[in-house]
Amino acid sequence: MEIALHLGVHETDNDHLVRCLMRNRAVLGKQGIAIPGPARYRQQLRQLSFAMRGRDTTAETQEMLLDGILDDDDVRRVVFSSDSFLSLPKWAVSHGRLYHAAAERVSLLRNLFPDARIELFLAIRNPASFLPAMVKADKTGSILTQITDSDPGALRWSSLLARLSEAVPDAPITVWSYEDTPLIWPEVLRVVSGHAPENEMAGWLAWYWDLVTPKGHAALRRWFETNPPPDDHARRKMLSVLLERFAKPEELEQDALLPGWTVETVDRLSALYDDDLDLIGSMPGVTLLEP
């Protein structure tokens, strides 16, 4: 049994991945890949993982848990997705770290499936846009307070990934940059679900609706319906051309600055992020998906 844990992070996916995979359940099910609805496991896995903290689990524990979530018996791989597996949004930045409790949270989830191969998947995002996006989505003001109390220049995704690797050393990690997602979205769907390379996920272009104009979205659909790309490289090349032509102007604008930030702050954080991506690309046990 393989368990794919898609961990978000916040403000990088908004359930696009799980919705697309659920739309393709029939095709994926024939390959032994189960995509349960989030309502069937998100709260349950969170509560049970804490309830089983410090307690041994067995293959029987795992089987009973999966029997309560899955409808089919002939399953080789299950995809669970939640951007709050690592933490609730208000704790995404705290104690001077990104997702300071993530290692414990993932370790607790791993404990629920002792007889399975666990794989971790997550997108990361430039702190220069990730932090403003988190603040914008928060209605309480608590995230801004947490960020204000931290040094944004000290926040490193590589640190988070190192802590995850240490907590669950047998779980390979696949990570991609949110900024690269438009070019590699179908590849993200494939690597998380584990579906056959020749299968194209129906509805994969829905991800681009907020990114391009309605005219542009129609152009994307027409192009890929009449010109199926022979490989990932060809798809990325055409996506790059179409997105450059049809992207909404507001999507190309600089994100709002947080209080106390300047353009120089954004430039500094972006440079640090680029350096962090270089480091992540060399980390053992971590695969960085790139265009």
Side-chain angles (χ1 to χ4, degrees), residues 3-277:
I3 304 291
L5 296 177
H6 174 233
L7 308 173
V9 297
H10 296 103
E11 299 303 321
T12 64
D13 179 70
N14 296 321
D15 280 347
H16 281 288
L17 183 141
V18 70
R19 287 201 299 267
C20 184
L21 295 183
M22 287 176 65
R23 180 173 176 176
N24 291 271
R25 275 174 167 167
V27 171
L28 296 174
K30 293 178 181 178
Q31 300 174 38
I33 304 166
I35 315 293
R40 303 190 68 171
Y41 62 81
R42 283 183 176 171
Q43 186 173 359
Q44 180 181 0
L45 291 184
R46 173 181 167 83
Q47 293 176 344
L48 188 57
S49 65
F50 281 105
M52 296 299 292
R53 178 187 288 174
R55 299 167 61 184
D56 292 333
T57 54
T58 64
E60 289 72 25
T61 308
Q62 172 181 308
E63 184 176 359
M64 290 177 61
L65 174 58
L66 291 175
D67 282 347
I69 296 174
L70 304 179
D71 294 323
D72 299 321
D73 295 326
D74 189 18
V75 172
R76 65 171 180 84
R77 184 179 181 86
V78 185
V79 177
F80 294 127
S81 175
S82 174
D83 60 9
S84 288
F85 276 151
L86 299 182
S87 84
L88 296 176
K90 66 179 180 179
W91 301 116
V93 181
S94 60
H95 302 274
R97 286 179 166 184
L98 293 164
Y99 298 95
H100 81 279
E104 180 190 19
R105 293 289 187 87
V106 173
S107 181
L108 292 176
L109 286 173
R110 204 275 172 269
N111 186 49
L112 296 179
F113 305 102
D115 202 37
R117 169 183 165 83
I118 302 293
E119 299 176 45
L120 308 181
F121 301 90
L122 69 158
I124 58 176
R125 184 171 177 175
N126 185 347
S129 68
F130 172 69
L131 298 178
M134 291 294 288
V135 170
K136 182 179 180 180
D138 177 36
K139 306 304 180 184
T140 68
S142 62
I143 293 179
L144 179 59
T145 300
Q146 294 280 7
I147 293 173
T148 302
D149 292 340
S150 303
D151 174 11
L155 301 176
R156 296 288 187 278
W157 293 111
S158 57
S159 174
L160 167 64
L161 298 174
R163 285 182 277 124
L164 293 177
S165 292
E166 183 178 3
V168 192
D170 62 335
I173 301 173
T174 300
V175 61
W176 59 95
S177 169
Y178 169 77
E179 292 78 17
D180 288 337
T181 307
L183 299 181
I184 61 172
W185 178 237
E187 296 163 65
V188 169
L189 293 169
R190 184 171 67 238
V191 73
V192 175
S193 71
H195 70 73
E198 62 270 18
N199 292 134
E200 180 181 283
M201 294 293 95
W204 69 274
L205 282 168
W207 189 91
Y208 299 87
W209 182 252
D210 292 332
L211 185 62
V212 299
T213 63
K215 178 181 178 181
H217 201 268
L220 262 67
R221 290 200 312 273
R222 285 195 304 271
W223 176 266
F224 287 108
E225 286 172 359
T226 57
N227 301 276
D231 52 36
D232 292 335
H233 175 75
R235 186 195 305 105
R236 289 187 226 119
K237 184 176 180 180
M238 183 47 56
L239 279 171
S240 178
V241 172
L242 293 171
L243 292 175
E244 183 176 359
R245 179 177 179 183
F246 293 113
K248 294 178 181 178
E250 60 268 26
E251 293 296 327
L252 303 177
E253 295 176 357
Q254 176 64 51
D255 294 288
L257 300 178
L258 293 182
W261 282 23
T262 64
V263 174
E264 288 71 25
T265 304
V266 172
D267 292 342
R268 179 171 67 93
L269 294 179
S270 298
L272 291 171
Y273 178 58
D274 288 341
D275 292 342
D276 206 27
L277 285 172

